[in-house]
Amino acid sequence: MPRIAIYPGSFDPVTNGHIDIAKRGRKLFDHIIVAILLNPGKQSLFSVSERIEMLKESMADIDNVTFDTFDGLLVDYAQQCKANAILRGMRAVSDFEYEFQLALMNRKLKRKVETIFLMTGLRWIFTSSSIIKEAAKFGGDVTDMVPPGVNRRLKIKFGK
Ligand code: PNS
């Protein structure tokens, strides 16, 4: 049985931290499905197709990674994909409470699906999609934190 993990998120946009988690996750899993939640209630900067495009571009050199979208419960989607795990990155203490809640709820809903956390690489400890968007919006340089294609699109989006 191949070991399949879902790496879910908003990826609005993908950051170097996400890429690091996907690369390291591939050492643990045979196949990773990077899945964007379709969430009409949450306003995003990039459309779903833009986000998929950026993910594909920036993870092109990682083999056995595919890209998808999902709605509804993550554990249902995981089961549908025959995935046995959910992969999440964990940064500083601030991520812990939310991630803990999410993992426990997912475990309650489907016991078979385990959540695996990888601690973020030290370089990416302060990297988050939200803070990157905030900096880029006001002309801040985020070159070191995102793939080149994302940097370019952020500049276009914010007219910089
Ligand atoms: O990148 P994000 O926004 O932190 O990702 C959050 C995500 C998509 C992993 C989470 O919101 C999610 O899985 N949503 C789907 C609905 C669900 O199953 N929620 C958890 C149990 S209530």
Side-chain angles (χ1 to χ4, degrees):
M1 278 271 281
R3 289 162 308 166
I4 302 171
I6 308 292
Y7 182 20
S10 306
F11 302 105
D12 183 38
V14 58
T15 69
N16 288 347
H18 293 132
I19 298 168
D20 177 52
I21 296 293
K23 275 191 182 149
R24 287 160 54 208
R26 266 291 286 115
K27 293 181 186 158
L28 304 173
F29 297 98
D30 301 311
H31 186 159
I32 290 178
I33 303 168
V34 181
I36 296 180
L37 171 68
L38 297 175
N39 187 355
K42 190 174 169 183
Q43 200 173 348
S44 60
L45 176 65
F46 292 100
S47 69
V48 172
S49 54
E50 285 174 317
R51 283 181 270 161
I52 293 264
E53 207 175 285
M54 289 185 278
L55 280 166
K56 280 186 176 166
E57 264 175 37
S58 55
M59 296 189 189
D61 62 336
I62 318 174
D63 64 352
N64 284 322
V65 175
T66 52
F67 307 91
D68 196 8
T69 57
F70 74 103
D71 55 12
L73 283 178
L74 175 59
V75 286
D76 288 342
Y77 174 71
Q79 191 175 44
Q80 191 188 309
C81 297
K82 299 191 173 21
N84 22 40
I86 292 164
L87 175 65
R88 292 284 285 173
M90 178 100 74
R91 285 166 308 195
V93 187
S94 52
D95 277 345
F96 181 79
E97 202 169 344
Y98 171 65
E99 292 298 335
F100 193 54
Q101 273 183 349
L102 195 67
L104 286 185
M105 179 54 89
N106 284 335
R107 183 144 193 268
K108 182 171 165 52
L109 294 170
K110 252 179 198 100
R111 247 187 136 64
K112 275 189 182 167
V113 182
E114 292 287 359
T115 302
I116 306 290
F117 293 104
L118 288 180
M119 296 312 292
T120 191
L122 198 55
R123 282 180 73 189
W124 316 119
I125 196 111
F126 297 116
T127 303
S128 77
S129 299
S130 333
I131 208 80
I132 283 169
K133 283 184 282 191
E134 176 90 359
K137 185 175 167 181
F138 297 110
D141 182 14
V142 296
T143 312
D144 292 349
M145 297 176 178
V146 290
V150 173
N151 199 20
R152 184 170 46 78
R153 284 180 181 82
L154 280 168
K155 284 185 177 154
I156 296 169
K157 256 314 163 197
F158 292 122
K160 300 291 171 192

